[in-house]
Amino acid sequence: MNSEEISSNIGLYIHWPFCLSKCPYCDFNSHVVESVDHSRWEKALVNELTFLSRDQNKKKLKSIFFGGGTPSLMKPETVFEAIQAAKQIWDVKKPIEITLEANPSSIEYQTFNSFKQAGINRVSLGIQAFDDKALSFLGRSHDRLDAINALKAAHKSFDRVSFDLIYARPQQTIESWLLELDQALDLAGEHMSVYQLTIEKGTAFYSQYKNGGFEMPSSETAGDFYEVTNEKLSSAGLQNYEISNYAHLGSECQHNMIYWRSEDYLGVGPGAHSRLTDNGGKRKATRSLTAPFSWLKEVEAKGNALVEKNVLSISEQLTETIMMGLRLKEGVSLKKLYKLTGQTLGQLFDKEALYLLKNEGYLRIDDFYLRATDSGRQRLNGVVRCLLDSVNIPN
């Protein structure tokens, strides 16, 4: 797809906020509850979807992503009804990608065939590690054997399978990580997401870390993990198309590409965000209530639970475009930047800043794209900050 086709296509994200337990590293909008009225939640999700899509129904639906939380704890019937509602609202851009996130517990992977029948054609498993000690530290409810069994079950049910791993864990060595990657590659399909462990405020790990409960690897060591991961997965044919994501050519996650390319997406469910272009060309950002049961009551009363709805300025759109687009190996289209700002690259950013970032080997610029190099993506926060501090958008 041409990365300039922003307003003609749309992705749909549906958030299921419930988990069986809260992982100590997780800062997502996820909650542990005793019971869920699945019938109420099914109706509410479909109702908010219908309400929020009212002025977006002329677009083509490119992808659906069920995230969370743990959406594999949803009833397959709920997934089916949400997919059917979406297909009634939009024309579908075929072949459409419909992803479900799942955990590798036997309770969940036994329902894979039911989710396939509901319309899911891609599953993303939260494996996180192939080491039992590491899984215990990460607060996961599964062990290594569960992970292997879940992946085997996923491959039987779905043509497209991805899974997540976490590296740069406390006391982890490069050697043990390479052994884990060997196991991962034996079980991999066409896509894998590999994240560096970060300590986020508001998580259980944050207080443990602050109180000296464990030590994190140095930034230099984390960089070494990143480099050996790139080398290992690339040599196996999985290309690092985004900072933390690896895939065979043509198997990139189409839904996440929508985010990274700053295209349009509609978020449904507690705390879900949207970025939508209206018929007048204005780009809007929205967010729904975060607390699950407050969201539920609001949707039942009004059809939606929006708490934020803002028109994004050119400067805000530029910031998002740079921050998200430079995560991708393909980078940011210069045509896109010009269309957004009316300026060439040399007019938009300070020339000295561009020269410095190019000279240090962090940026690469050709006639069509602004790209972060592998070295630049490893230091992306600093690269983005340098660029945005030098931006010049006339009033």
Side-chain angles (χ1 to χ4, degrees):
M1 186 191 109
N2 187 314
S3 61
E4 306 308 322
E5 295 175 15
I6 295 177
S7 60
S8 60
N9 296 313
I10 192 167
L12 172 63
Y13 174 81
I14 297 177
H15 189 76
W16 183 258
F18 304 117
C19 289
L20 293 177
S21 61
K22 182 79 172 179
C23 296
Y25 56 85
C26 177
D27 66 339
F28 293 164
N29 183 28
S30 59
H31 305 265
V32 179
V33 295
E34 290 186 4
S35 63
V36 174
D37 185 334
H38 286 270
S39 178
R40 283 182 70 191
W41 277 85
E42 176 188 307
K43 291 175 184 176
L45 288 168
V46 170
N47 285 345
E48 189 176 53
L49 165 58
T50 303
F51 185 98
L52 296 181
S53 63
R54 288 182 305 177
D55 62 349
Q56 298 291 319
N57 56 7
K58 300 299 183 185
K59 298 176 182 178
K60 281 201 170 185
L61 182 62
K62 180 181 177 183
S63 68
I64 304 175
F65 195 103
F66 292 89
T70 308
S72 51
L73 295 175
M74 300 170 76
K75 296 286 188 185
E77 294 82 2
T78 301
V79 170
F80 175 80
E81 291 300 332
I83 292 171
Q84 293 308 304
K87 289 182 175 180
Q88 288 175 12
I89 294 165
W90 292 288
D91 287 337
V92 173
K93 187 177 179 68
K94 297 181 179 179
I96 185 173
E97 175 189 272
I98 307 179
T99 302
L100 179 87
E101 290 184 330
N103 280 332
S105 72
S106 59
I107 294 173
E108 293 169 58
Y109 69 70
Q110 286 173 7
T111 62
F112 280 172
N113 281 332
S114 296
F115 282 119
K116 180 179 181 180
Q117 292 170 11
I120 299 298
N121 56 27
R122 181 179 183 272
V123 69
S124 178
L125 287 170
I127 300 294
Q128 314 311 2
F130 286 101
D131 176 273
D132 284 341
K133 187 176 179 181
L135 288 168
S136 178
F137 170 76
L138 293 169
R140 305 297 286 165
S141 60
H142 67 275
D143 59 20
R144 176 178 172 274
L145 185 58
D146 289 329
I148 292 170
N149 288 336
L151 277 167
K152 289 179 179 178
H155 283 299
K156 287 179 181 178
S157 295
F158 303 102
D159 292 332
R160 303 189 65 198
V161 175
S162 180
F163 61 91
D164 299 350
L165 293 176
I166 295 176
Y167 68 88
R169 308 183 300 253
Q171 300 182 342
Q172 186 182 27
T173 65
I174 295 289
E175 292 74 21
S176 66
W177 175 234
L178 288 172
L179 289 175
E180 272 190 80
L181 286 179
D182 282 333
Q183 296 176 70
L185 287 168
D186 285 341
L187 296 160
E190 83 269 321
H191 191 285
M192 194 186 303
S193 300
V194 188
Y195 301 101
Q196 179 181 331
L197 179 62
T198 55
I199 308 301
E200 305 292 347
K201 286 185 178 180
T203 65
F205 269 176
Y206 183 78
S207 23
Q208 290 177 31
Y209 175 67
K210 287 296 182 182
N211 292 328
F214 57 85
E215 292 185 5
M216 290 294 291
S218 67
S219 57
E220 292 80 8
T221 301
D224 292 339
F225 274 101
Y226 178 83
E227 289 175 5
V228 300
T229 302
N230 268 350
E231 183 179 345
K232 184 79 171 179
L233 297 185
S234 295
S235 66
L238 291 166
Q239 298 304 312
N240 185 206
Y241 73 98
E242 190 271 344
I243 287 177
S244 302
N245 286 272
Y246 298 78
H248 294 302
L249 185 63
S251 296
E252 300 85 358
C253 177
Q254 293 306 301
H255 186 83
N256 286 341
M257 290 295 286
I258 290 173
Y259 302 147
W260 296 319
R261 286 174 170 167
S262 297
E263 298 172 9
D264 279 10
Y265 60 92
L266 176 66
V268 173
H273 293 251
S274 302
R275 294 292 184 274
L276 299 168
T277 306
D278 67 18
N279 294 330
K282 292 181 179 178
R283 188 160 172 83
K284 296 179 179 178
T286 70
R287 180 178 67 83
S288 291
L289 274 169
T290 300
F293 294 104
S294 297
W295 173 90
L296 182 62
K297 291 177 182 177
E298 194 78 0
V299 173
E300 289 177 334
K302 301 193 314 184
N304 77 98
L306 290 184
V307 289
E308 291 181 15
K309 187 173 183 180
N310 303 308
V311 175
L312 294 174
S313 68
I314 298 300
S315 178
E316 288 170 328
Q317 292 181 64
L318 176 65
T319 296
E320 289 191 355
T321 299
I322 293 297
M323 288 179 65
M324 300 301 283
L326 288 184
R327 295 179 64 89
L328 287 170
K329 197 175 190 77
E330 73 180 22
V332 180
S333 159
L334 301 188
K335 181 180 177 182
K336 182 177 190 174
L337 290 177
Y338 185 81
K339 184 177 180 181
L340 177 62
T341 66
Q343 293 182 286
T344 64
L345 197 66
Q347 295 169 327
L348 187 57
F349 299 109
D350 181 77
K351 290 182 180 179
E352 289 187 12
L354 288 175
Y355 174 80
L356 174 66
L357 292 170
K358 285 176 61 180
N359 196 51
E360 292 293 326
Y362 300 147
L363 279 185
R364 188 166 66 251
I365 303 168
D366 59 28
D367 291 339
F368 303 100
Y369 279 89
L370 170 69
R371 297 183 174 92
T373 62
D374 285 342
S375 180
R377 288 198 289 163
Q378 194 174 335
R379 303 161 177 82
L380 192 60
N381 288 343
V383 171
V384 168
R385 192 181 311 116
C386 184
L387 274 177
L388 294 179
D389 284 349
S390 76
V391 74
N392 173 39
I393 299 180
N395 294 326

